[in-house]
Amino acid sequence: EKTRDSFAEKMNDLAARYRTVDEDFFEELEELLISADVGVHTVMELTEELRDEVKRQNVKTPGDVLPVISEKLTAKLDYSGEDYALNMNGEGMTVVLFVGVNGVGKTTTIGKIAQRFKSEGKNVVLAAGDTFRAGAIEQLAAWGEDVGVNVVKQAEGSDPAAVMYDAIQSARSKNADVLLCDTAGRLQNKVNLMKELEKVKRVISREIPSAPHEVLLVLDATTGQNAMTQAKTFKEATEVSGIVLTKLDGTAKGGIVLAIRNELDIPVKFVGLGEGVDDLQPFDAEQFTYGLFRELAEDDESAE
Amino acid sequence: MAFEGLAERLQATMSKIKGKGKVSEADVKEMAREVRLALLEADVNFKVVKQFVNRIKERAVGQEVMKSLTPGQQVIKVVNEELTELMGKEESKLAVADKAPTIIMMVGLQGSGKTTTAAKLANHLRKEKNRNPMLVAADVYRPAAIDQLQTLGKQLDMPVFSKGTEANPVDIVREGVEQAKAENHDYVLLDTAGRLHVDEALMDELQQMSDKVRPHEVLLVVDAMTGQDAVNVAEQFNEQLPVSGVVLTKLDGDTRGGAALSIRAVTDQPIKFAGMGEKIDQLETFHPERMASRILGMGDMLSLIEKA
Ligand SMILES: Nc1nc2c(ncn2[C@@H]2O[C@H](COP(=O)(O)OP(=O)(O)OP(=O)(O)O)[C@@H](O)[C@H]2O)c(=O)[nH]1
Ligand SMILES: Nc1nc2c(ncn2[C@@H]2O[C@H](COP(=O)(O)OP(=O)(O)OP(=O)(O)O)[C@@H](O)[C@H]2O)c(=O)[nH]1
Ligand SMILES: [Mg+2]
Ligand SMILES: [Mg+2]
């Protein structure tokens, strides 16, 4: 793929359009990052550091500022050598809990991940922990049927913690390798609903002390600055261990995960690229960073 | 917290220029920077912010400072007036067809809240307007989308028209409307599948549905947490469909909701309703002036200034 070395190229293109490293240059760089929903705070921090660096090193031309930008960006987004694989339980069933606000793609992502595990020959069970939203149980059941895995469910309106308890027993008796737990979407400022989620997690840990082995926060790439607050609050409530960034097949860039990475140090593990069962990929930092600057590349092409 | 309101942001700047008689260009420049940051942190699109800040600068420079206000408050007053103006007038009215039924089509990205809002609107129409609506399940793609609408229909004790997942959505809406006519429903609410604004095939399908039944109201349902991309989404849907209004959902969260401003700026369509929760009765009339102060993050400050 040609996306590999493109980031440097993009920065070159940006630099080439300016003779001097002036305020306009910085403003455009800021806008570029902001338009990708990178946190305003992170962007300002970055460009402030750049301004200082440029002064200190007495850099005059955009060409000379390039190495500085790459250096700074890499420092902020350093993903190198990291393992994005899900944390698996070495001695028994792996339990993965999915959390997030309404409509981000939790249930769909469970379907996709179930398919991945199944294709690796693993025995997968799904837990229908969203007992609140209309049709949520049927939705997960439909995914279970599609992928060909068992779904543990109770009636709509039942206690989600009880569903989890049930699901763990049932998955154990089926000798499951992986249990994927769906939960109802909830906005992070709903204190009671966040407490309910804590309880769900507690029940899981009580049954299997090492579980959940992974708590995945699902974030919608279309979401702006609020995703940061989501990450903070869900992390406090459930010790989020990774992020799934969905809906990257649209035009939104999901740049807020940079700020989340920067401030909360939660890694992105998967990205969602569509509604189909195969539209899930492991996170690729370089490709993601390239995506942030995609428009810039297109602008330049159309200008020529 | 990461999200400082504009009032807090301006505090420092304001104290520096206390006691001046006029708002100088330098003051405005400094404050414009704070306004810009506050709006960007509220997710207002950066292009919209740019235009907006320029207008503020033009208006604020050289203004006499009112006795009762500091220069900072004066700028906030100008910002708030401009913002409220941009947010448009209060308008929660839904179209009424000359000849019943009135057809309302819900459109938008995946997960924005279309299905929930369709049920909420049906409930609103019956409870507040004494109408007799019918729902149509035209999402044949998302797993259990029809079950979801049917469950909501049951909760409301309201009929839901569906033809399963094998039928063509264009046929579904056509037949749904016919049935509504035959059964004397005065409103038909069409729930469509979520889709990306750049998905040509699905956008085309939506256009065909719209052409077929000629809805009196096409409501774009947008998640209030949407970031910078809101303008692209709104622009595309608005270009390809006769969008007549917007519903902003999930406003019960703690997002500033700057997307509201972006959408207004690019579509010029009124935001008619606000989704305030997951439950069927949590739909409210949209209040532009409240939204303006929410985006700026300064409720009390404004009521103080308003009196001046
Ligand atoms: N384009 C696109 N759509 C997606 C993606 N992931 C999920 N969706 C769609 O987003 C919508 C919401 O997905 P769900 O899986 O129901 O989301 P959820 O978080 O479980 O929602 P709630 O349970 O209601 O909170 C559905 O229409 C999905 O098909 C993705 O990666 N790309
Ligand atoms: N808190 C809150 N949740 C909402 C609101 N409106 C909808 N939701 C929730 O958001 C999620 C998605 O809502 P849906 O109505 O399924 O969205 P949709 O646009 O029909 O989704 P697709 O059909 O998959 O594209 C569900 O969990 C709803 O309960 C709202 O105003 N506030
Ligand atoms: Mg779900
Ligand atoms: Mg729907």
Side-chain angles (χ1 to χ4, degrees):
Chain A
E1 268 174 305
K2 66 162 191 177
T3 57
R4 291 291 154 191
D5 52 3
S6 289
F7 176 60
E9 266 172 46
K10 287 330 124 206
M11 298 313 290
N12 266 317
D13 290 339
L14 175 61
R17 280 193 279 145
Y18 289 88
R19 266 189 215 187
T20 52
V21 183
D22 54 12
E23 262 318 293
D24 287 347
F25 174 81
F26 282 117
E27 203 162 296
E28 182 151 348
L29 185 64
E30 270 173 25
E31 282 175 355
L32 189 70
L33 293 165
I34 284 170
S35 71
D37 287 319
V38 175
V40 177
H41 184 70
T42 303
V43 172
M44 295 305 163
E45 207 176 87
L46 177 73
T47 49
E48 265 326 298
E49 281 171 29
L50 270 175
R51 282 187 177 94
D52 288 351
E53 202 74 16
V54 162
K55 246 184 237 146
R56 189 162 41 238
Q57 300 184 12
N58 197 18
V59 171
K60 291 256 162 44
T61 66
D64 296 333
V65 85
L66 262 182
V68 188
I69 294 179
S70 323
E71 202 180 295
K72 289 280 169 209
L73 263 179
T74 343
K76 286 241 182 295
L77 325 174
D78 191 14
Y79 301 91
S80 54
E82 205 166 351
D83 189 6
Y84 300 117
L86 291 180
N87 184 26
M88 302 299 285
N89 180 9
E91 52 244 13
M93 183 168 73
T94 299
V95 182
V96 185
L97 180 65
F98 289 79
V99 301
V101 300
N102 308 82
V104 287
K106 294 175 291 301
T107 308
T108 306
T109 304
I110 289 176
K112 294 172 180 177
I113 290 185
Q115 164 73 30
R116 279 182 91 86
F117 277 127
K118 202 188 167 213
S119 69
E120 290 168 10
K122 295 210 161 65
N123 181 3
V124 185
V125 173
L126 311 183
D130 181 355
T131 58
F132 180 74
R133 206 206 69 203
I137 299 169
E138 288 93 333
Q139 186 186 359
L140 192 73
W143 274 106
E145 196 163 316
D146 225 41
V147 176
V149 299
N150 275 303
V151 181
V152 180
K153 54 185 194 242
Q154 291 183 7
E156 199 180 316
S158 43
D159 176 14
V163 175
M164 289 313 164
Y165 177 84
D166 234 29
I168 289 175
Q169 313 310 327
S170 167
R172 266 185 179 144
S173 73
K174 292 186 176 85
N175 276 324
D177 302 305
V178 185
L179 175 65
L180 304 176
C181 307
D182 195 12
T183 62
R186 66 200 75 217
L187 298 178
Q188 71 277 10
N189 61 334
K190 306 281 169 87
V191 176
N192 290 339
L193 293 180
M194 293 308 283
K195 287 232 170 78
E196 179 194 82
L197 194 61
E198 285 172 33
K199 185 176 160 203
V200 163
K201 189 181 168 231
R202 252 196 330 269
V203 166
I204 294 174
S205 307
R206 204 171 57 209
E207 292 310 302
I208 305 175
S210 62
H213 306 93
E214 193 84 63
V215 178
L216 292 180
L217 172 67
V218 182
L219 294 178
D220 182 333
T222 325
T223 306
Q225 306 293 309
N226 194 253
M228 173 61 89
T229 324
Q230 291 171 24
K232 261 187 200 145
T233 320
F234 276 98
K235 189 185 179 188
E236 275 162 26
T238 60
E239 296 170 83
V240 170
S241 55
I243 287 170
V244 181
L245 187 63
T246 62
K247 310 186 193 177
L248 265 182
D249 46 327
T251 50
K253 307 290 194 337
I256 193 70
V257 297
L258 296 190
I260 293 174
R261 172 79 204 192
N262 199 25
E263 289 180 33
L264 302 174
D265 206 30
I266 310 174
V268 181
K269 300 216 163 176
F270 285 102
V271 296
L273 293 166
E275 300 184 75
V277 69
D278 296 322
D279 297 327
L280 184 81
Q281 278 176 19
F283 180 64
D284 178 334
E286 276 178 64
Q287 202 169 341
F288 177 80
T289 316
Y290 168 72
L292 296 181
F293 294 88
R294 197 164 58 204
E295 250 80 273
L296 192 66
E298 281 158 13
D299 279 357
D300 280 352
E301 274 156 28
S302 59
E304 274 156 25
Chain B
M1 266 306 286
F3 298 99
E4 273 175 288
L6 183 59
E8 292 126 58
R9 285 193 164 284
L10 289 180
Q11 218 66 254
T13 324
M14 285 194 294
S15 58
K16 262 189 276 174
I17 51 175
K18 233 184 214 152
K20 283 192 187 172
K22 266 191 182 146
V23 181
S24 78
E25 200 168 334
D27 299 339
V28 170
K29 206 170 165 195
E30 199 165 335
M31 286 192 271
R33 188 184 143 76
E34 297 301 322
V35 173
R36 174 172 178 256
L37 286 178
L39 293 176
L40 286 173
E41 283 191 343
D43 286 323
V44 182
N45 182 268
F46 74 97
K47 286 181 191 154
V48 177
V49 171
K50 206 173 217 169
Q51 288 167 6
F52 185 78
V53 169
N54 284 339
R55 213 161 39 238
I56 300 292
K57 279 190 194 156
E58 272 167 32
R59 253 197 75 184
V61 174
Q63 270 207 355
E64 297 279 339
V65 176
M66 282 185 245
K67 281 212 183 65
S68 50
L69 297 179
T70 67
Q73 288 173 329
Q74 184 101 359
V75 172
I76 290 182
K77 188 174 158 71
V78 172
V79 169
N80 188 51
E81 279 168 12
E82 287 284 334
L83 205 54
T84 309
E85 171 82 26
L86 236 174
M87 289 304 313
K89 287 195 218 42
E90 203 156 302
E91 195 178 344
S92 65
K93 284 194 186 59
L94 287 170
V96 184
D98 293 336
K99 224 174 119 230
T102 303
I103 303 165
I104 303 179
M105 183 158 108
M106 320 297 295
V107 302
L109 294 182
Q110 288 95 343
S112 60
K114 295 172 295 299
T115 308
T116 309
T117 306
K120 285 176 173 179
L121 270 179
N123 180 49
H124 164 87
L125 284 165
R126 187 172 60 189
K127 260 175 79 180
E128 310 289 324
K129 315 275 174 200
N130 215 7
R131 301 288 178 177
N132 173 27
M134 184 184 112
L135 294 155
V136 175
D139 179 356
V140 299
Y141 304 110
R142 157 154 162 206
I146 299 175
D147 293 298
Q148 184 184 2
L149 195 68
Q150 277 170 341
T151 304
L152 292 167
K154 244 180 246 143
Q155 278 175 30
L156 287 167
D157 194 20
M158 214 176 263
V160 175
F161 177 88
S162 95
K163 277 174 64 79
T165 54
E166 297 304 313
N168 177 330
V170 181
D171 296 333
I172 295 174
V173 293
R174 181 178 49 78
E175 288 180 39
V177 169
E178 272 165 22
Q179 177 152 335
K181 272 183 200 157
E183 294 177 0
N184 288 317
H185 290 284
D186 45 14
Y187 273 87
V188 197
L189 295 138
L190 313 175
D191 180 31
T192 68
R195 64 202 76 213
L196 293 172
H197 53 294
V198 286
D199 187 327
E200 278 176 36
L202 283 184
M203 287 303 286
D204 190 52
E205 177 196 271
L206 208 50
Q207 210 163 11
Q208 284 177 40
M209 291 160 82
S210 163
D211 288 349
K212 183 63 86 187
V213 298
R214 306 240 157 231
H216 305 92
E217 190 91 71
V218 176
L219 294 178
L220 177 64
V221 181
V222 184
D223 184 328
M225 295 176 278
T226 309
Q228 294 288 319
D229 205 38
V231 290
N232 300 325
V233 175
E235 222 160 39
Q236 294 284 334
F237 273 95
N238 193 44
E239 245 169 51
Q240 296 188 45
L241 294 160
V243 171
S244 57
V246 175
V247 180
L248 209 59
T249 62
K250 309 180 198 175
L251 267 173
D252 47 322
D254 56 10
T255 180
R256 279 275 155 77
L261 193 60
S262 309
I263 295 161
R264 274 289 307 174
V266 300
T267 65
D268 214 29
Q269 295 299 334
I271 301 175
K272 299 196 167 184
F273 291 98
M276 297 300 293
E278 297 186 69
K279 303 208 183 83
I280 244 157
D281 57 354
Q282 292 174 317
L283 184 75
E284 288 181 10
T285 299
F286 180 78
H287 299 292
E289 72 298 338
R290 274 190 224 161
M291 195 66 217
S293 61
R294 177 177 179 144
I295 291 173
L296 294 176
M298 43 182 219
D300 298 348
M301 184 91 173
L302 283 176
S303 51
L304 222 125
I305 294 168
E306 221 92 286
K307 290 184 199 124

